[in-house]
Amino acid sequence: MGCSRYANCALKLKPGKRVVEITSADQIVPTLEKIKTAVVAGELDKSLNTALTLRRKELKGNKPKAA
């Protein structure tokens, strides 16, 4: 699987881990189920909030200045 992203930022799924790797197609569904369980349990909230904060900072810096 590829890199998990939000607002053009890679999300850390575990400390130092930004990618989910599987060795066979049989692992796709169980892996997605584990990710879903983690999301429901709030385990990705910190990573999502960090990505959201970075995105907001980027957007503030890109606003045109009033004349």
Side-chain angles (χ1 to χ4, degrees):
M1 294 190 137
C3 188
S4 300
R5 300 185 78 75
Y6 174 78
N8 206 26
C9 294
L11 298 177
K12 290 182 182 178
L13 301 174
K14 284 187 175 182
K17 306 286 183 181
R18 296 177 186 259
V19 176
V20 175
E21 292 183 36
I22 58 173
T23 57
S24 70
D26 295 343
Q27 293 179 322
I28 293 173
V29 173
T31 301
L32 291 174
E33 288 172 348
K34 286 180 183 178
I35 293 169
K36 180 181 175 183
T37 300
V39 169
V40 171
E43 294 177 27
L44 296 178
D45 289 355
K46 185 176 179 180
S47 291
L48 286 168
N49 286 330
T50 299
L52 181 60
T53 299
L54 290 172
R55 182 65 177 149
R56 284 181 178 156
K57 287 180 183 178
E58 287 175 4
L59 291 175
K60 281 185 181 180
N62 291 331
K63 285 187 178 180
K65 295 181 181 180

